[in-house]
Amino acid sequence: MSPRSRYLPDENTPLAIGLVLCGVIMFTPVFAAGKLADGLLPAVVLVWLRYLGGAMTMGGYVALRGLPDGTLKSPQWKLHLLRAGLGTGGLGCIIYASSRLPVIDAAAIGLTKGFMAIALAGLLLRETILLRHWVAGILCALGAFLVVRSSAVAPGESGAWVWDGVLAALLGAFFIACEALMIKVLARRESAVLVLGYVNAFAAVIMTLPVVWIAVTDGIDWAFALPFLALGPVAIIGQTFNIEAYRRADAATLAPVGYAWVLTAAAFGYFFFGEVPTLKAGFGALLIVAGGFVLTFGSRFRLRRPVPR
């Protein structure tokens, strides 16, 4: 068996979708870190703590279990570095957006990454984009739009739209869509340990200098900040789910599944911040579920032409 084929299990779309859903659940508190910090920590610091915690987690794993291939060297290190840049940019934008908007608004706006990922997968990875991909994407996007509109209130009230938050969410969505393609490429070439280890180490190093600058100029309440290191291992678990998913299905297939993020964000916002979704949001959630149904099972309901005799 060739070294590369070890990272290519049999295609299994239902399992891959389930893994992505698990990843979405794990990443919800990570993306909502800005809201959890209540504005007391800059997004840059939260991103650094998340990746530093991730790097520490992977270092501990390697110390206990060793390396699957016996080496830390990767011929794909440039791709890892690019992914680290995309990941830090995307996470930073989403965390900032969640600090400026209700959690469900930031999540739903960020779900435009589904369309972006589908288009980029077809353009750059030459993946086949089927009609059901676009139908699923449209249903999910419409559902996300309804969720966002249901949360919009009059200016000056709690939860009002803040346009810098909206733009940050859109930019973060683009970065995350690009990162999803990088995960697709790397997950099929290297072990999960290298994929996770490199991105967390690179990202932690990239973010260290701006964090030091903030610590020197503005100061950081480390007693409040250090618990956010726990975002690292939580994100590692979520990334592991994503890597295993992208080994089993195309990026175009999995991209719309991320729309489930709006459902987990709604639950998270309700239980932790008292953000109550409206009936319009409930209908939007049903559209998102419908999109996922079309995506997962649409190919099984194609009309078959009668075989000529």
Side-chain angles (χ1 to χ4, degrees):
M1 182 178 291
S2 65
R4 182 177 177 181
S5 63
R6 291 181 301 156
Y7 309 120
L8 289 173
D10 294 336
E11 185 170 327
N12 188 329
T13 299
L15 175 59
I17 289 175
L19 290 169
V20 170
L21 289 175
C22 291
V24 168
I25 293 172
M26 297 305 298
F27 268 106
T28 298
V30 177
F31 288 135
K35 184 74 70 176
L36 292 171
D38 197 25
L40 299 179
L41 290 174
V44 171
V45 176
L46 291 169
V47 173
W48 178 71
L49 289 168
R50 172 260 174 272
Y51 281 108
L52 179 61
M56 293 169 62
T57 300
M58 292 309 302
Y61 177 88
V62 170
L64 292 174
R65 301 292 299 273
L67 293 167
D69 299 319
T71 179
L72 281 172
K73 294 182 180 179
S74 169
Q76 313 294 331
W77 67 269
K78 293 181 180 179
L79 294 181
H80 289 295
L81 183 60
L82 176 59
R83 185 195 160 202
L86 293 170
T88 53
L91 180 60
C93 288
I94 295 298
I95 286 178
Y96 178 78
S98 74
S99 70
R100 301 287 287 166
L101 302 169
V103 176
I104 193 172
D105 283 16
I109 296 169
L111 290 177
T112 54
K113 67 184 176 67
F115 281 125
M116 299 177 190
I118 289 176
L120 289 171
L123 181 65
L124 301 179
L125 300 184
R126 298 294 189 266
E127 291 184 359
T128 302
I129 311 300
L130 303 176
L131 177 60
R132 64 188 176 94
H133 290 137
W134 293 111
V135 171
I138 291 171
L139 285 173
C140 293
L142 179 58
F145 174 77
L146 290 176
V147 172
V148 170
R149 295 308 303 165
S150 72
S151 299
V153 297
E157 296 182 16
S158 176
W161 279 47
V162 182
W163 287 107
D164 60 342
V166 173
L167 293 176
L170 288 170
L171 184 59
F174 176 74
F175 286 143
I176 292 173
C178 293
E179 186 191 13
L181 300 189
M182 303 303 300
I183 295 175
K184 171 72 174 180
V185 173
L186 291 168
R188 298 192 171 195
R189 296 182 181 181
E190 295 185 338
S191 69
V193 172
L194 288 184
V195 173
L196 294 174
Y198 266 86
V199 70
N200 283 275
F202 276 148
V205 171
I206 290 172
M207 302 303 296
T208 296
L209 185 58
V211 170
V212 171
W213 175 263
I214 292 173
V216 171
T217 57
D218 299 329
I220 296 174
D221 182 356
W222 291 109
F224 178 76
L226 288 180
F228 284 91
L229 282 172
L231 295 174
V234 171
I236 289 294
I237 297 172
Q239 285 181 320
T240 301
F241 284 132
N242 287 337
I243 289 172
E244 293 301 322
Y246 279 100
R247 286 175 175 169
R248 292 169 170 81
D250 287 339
T253 297
L254 297 179
V257 185
Y259 285 97
W261 181 19
V262 77
L263 304 179
T264 59
F268 193 86
Y270 174 76
F271 285 111
F272 288 92
F273 307 111
E275 299 172 357
V276 181
T278 64
L279 289 176
K280 186 185 293 185
F283 182 67
L286 287 177
L287 288 178
I288 293 170
V289 173
F293 181 86
V294 170
L295 181 67
T296 309
F297 303 106
S299 61
R300 300 184 182 182
F301 298 98
R302 294 177 182 173
L303 293 176
R304 297 184 178 180
R305 296 179 181 179
V307 180
R309 297 180 179 178

